[in-house]
Amino acid sequence: MSRAGVETRLGHGMHRVATSLLVDASDRASVPAENLAVFRDFVVANLRHHHESEDAWLWPMILSAAPEQSQVFDELSREHERLDTALDRLAQAEVDGGPRTGRPALRDAAVEVRDRVHAHLEHEESVLFPALRDHITPDRWDAFSRRVIASSPTVAGHLTIGLFEEVGTPEEVRAALATMPEDVSALIPAMKSQAAADLRVLRGIPS
């Protein structure tokens, strides 16, 4: 699989795992409100960045080579808009309170986001993987990938590393992280360790 395919598969895998874990964690009373809030913010910020990057940069790149596919990519963008509405609800849901106070609404919002994301990615992948193979050269993908990395959200960025390791092979993860800025690359071991600890808390696994 090309680098474009690998990085796309890792990103989509991360979103699938993260949205599912947020539902589970919001239903787990042992997860501290602070951890849950940070993870919710991570999920919201990264999903927004993911589809905004596609709408603004990747879709135009593909359509410049395959304008006949405009209808299907317009539909994917409309799905992004509907997801944004669900993300707004998730971002506004209460996290703190007593053992269950505030969390039912958070869980409901997380379920909607999870379901929309999983359905959307299945639809998107049926179109996107062939388009990446047929219309995006390695150089064009490299420019897009670097732009995405440079504009990535900073909230709990270490969790991206930890989730990549769960959904990709060691070789795929190394390839995806190879373009990280040098100052960030030096922090990757510490980021992996922190991500593992935070994900254990969210899953209710004792340290």
Side-chain angles (χ1 to χ4, degrees):
M1 185 179 285
S2 68
R3 180 181 160 207
V6 168
E7 291 186 4
T8 298
R9 192 177 69 77
L10 286 177
H12 286 190
M14 178 188 77
H15 293 311
R16 286 184 170 103
V17 172
T19 53
S20 296
L21 178 55
L22 182 59
V23 172
D24 294 342
S26 65
D27 220 8
R28 190 170 289 119
S30 65
V31 177
E34 181 179 0
N35 296 71
L36 192 57
V38 168
F39 190 56
R40 184 270 308 277
D41 292 347
F42 167 85
V43 168
V44 170
N46 280 274
L47 281 170
R48 287 199 199 281
H49 180 255
H50 177 79
H51 68 243
E52 287 171 0
S53 299
E54 290 177 334
D55 290 336
W57 305 325
L58 186 55
W59 292 180
M61 191 186 303
I62 292 170
L63 293 175
S64 69
E68 70 279 2
Q69 295 191 31
S70 61
Q71 185 174 349
V72 70
F73 283 97
D74 285 347
E75 175 56 32
L76 292 174
S77 290
R78 286 192 289 272
E79 291 179 10
H80 290 167
E81 291 172 4
R82 291 191 286 271
L83 175 58
D84 260 335
T85 301
L87 289 172
D88 287 342
R89 285 193 287 272
L90 180 58
Q92 294 162 11
E94 294 291 335
V95 175
D96 55 3
R100 296 300 302 155
T101 303
R103 293 201 184 182
L106 174 69
R107 185 186 186 282
D108 288 347
V111 167
E112 182 183 6
V113 167
R114 178 200 63 192
D115 292 349
R116 285 191 179 277
V117 166
H118 285 227
H120 169 70
L121 292 178
E122 184 174 354
H123 178 203
E124 182 175 286
E125 287 169 353
S126 68
V127 176
L128 181 55
F129 282 123
L132 293 176
R133 180 193 64 222
D134 296 338
H135 304 300
I136 300 300
T137 64
D139 284 347
R140 297 190 85 187
W141 178 263
D142 183 63
F144 168 73
S145 180
R146 289 180 183 279
R147 196 172 188 181
V148 169
I149 290 170
S151 59
S152 290
T154 57
V155 55
H158 61 289
L159 291 173
T160 298
I161 309 297
L163 290 168
F164 272 7
E165 291 209 310
E166 293 190 5
V167 301
T169 67
E171 293 76 16
E172 288 172 337
V173 175
R174 278 196 296 272
L177 299 181
T179 56
M180 288 286 184
E182 189 174 336
D183 56 337
V184 175
S185 295
L187 300 174
I188 286 177
M191 294 169 75
K192 288 181 180 180
S193 178
Q194 185 60 55
D198 289 350
L199 291 169
R200 283 196 300 269
V201 171
L202 291 164
R203 290 181 169 122
I205 301 172
S207 1

